[in-house]
Amino acid sequence: RRRDPSSEYPRVGRRAAARNAARIGQKTGVAPPAGKRLAKNLRTFGAHGVERRVPLRAFASLQQLVAWAKRAPRNCRVLGIEIGERAVSCAAPGVFGTPAAPTCFLPGNEGQGLLESQIALCDGLVYVPQYASVTASLNVNAATACVLSWFAAAVGYAEVTREGAKYVVKDGLHALWKPK
């Protein structure tokens, strides 16, 4: 069963935002009408306000999303997150370029991974190495989080400040939230 991509947003959105994503693209099947925000069409419960902090952009097709990411001024390369013969470990030195290039990541589907037509849109594939033979693969959110963490380290992002058991979020929206 293919999951509704909008149901993945809270998990993937939080992981991408925590690793300094500049933007999140979402294939919705149809572009939202002019003036409507994509966040209104996504299930954002559990995203903890990420939809208000990281810009979202809707695309009618994956091909449109990839073409947009590759065009100037973004000039991103597209890396699929998939286990496969052509895939390179996300832990391999220089896998993200030296220096790391602007990159758009395309995670596979939970059950099937990336389809051949999706792999054809990618400039390369990366996978998360496993060190025990107890499962065939990680779920898509866990694999995406691992790849994004390796990318953040390769780019040299500085870890943000922690207070207690949480990271300090610096924005006006977070300052308004008061725990009960």
Side-chain angles (χ1 to χ4, degrees), residues 48-49 53 160-163 166-176:
H48 296 265
R53 294 184 189 99
V160 297
T161 306
R162 291 175 284 161
E163 282 184 8
K166 299 284 183 183
Y167 287 96
V168 176
V169 177
K170 294 181 181 178
D171 74 351
L173 291 173
H174 198 76
L176 296 174

Side-chain angles (χ1 to χ4, degrees), residues 74-143:
R74 291 164 294 281
N75 300 319
C76 289
R77 66 183 178 147
V78 177
L79 292 180
I81 301 172
E82 183 63 86
I83 301 168
E85 296 298 319
R86 294 184 9 223
V88 178
S89 170
C90 66
V95 68
F96 300 114
T98 310
T103 305
C104 175
F105 292 98
L106 179 60
N109 175 270
E110 189 75 42
Q112 301 168 313
L114 289 172
L115 304 174
E116 286 301 320
S117 60
Q118 295 167 329
I119 290 172
L121 297 172
C122 297
D123 299 311
L125 300 173
V126 293
Y127 71 91
V128 177
Q130 291 188 185
Y131 302 98
S133 306
V134 296
T135 184
S137 64
L138 298 173
N139 76 32
V140 68
N141 286 302

Side-chain angles (χ1 to χ4, degrees), residues 42-59:
L42 287 177
R43 294 185 188 120
T44 58
F45 179 78
H48 296 265
V50 166
E51 73 279 5
R52 294 185 303 269
R53 294 184 189 99
V54 180
L56 301 171
R57 185 168 178 118
F59 297 89

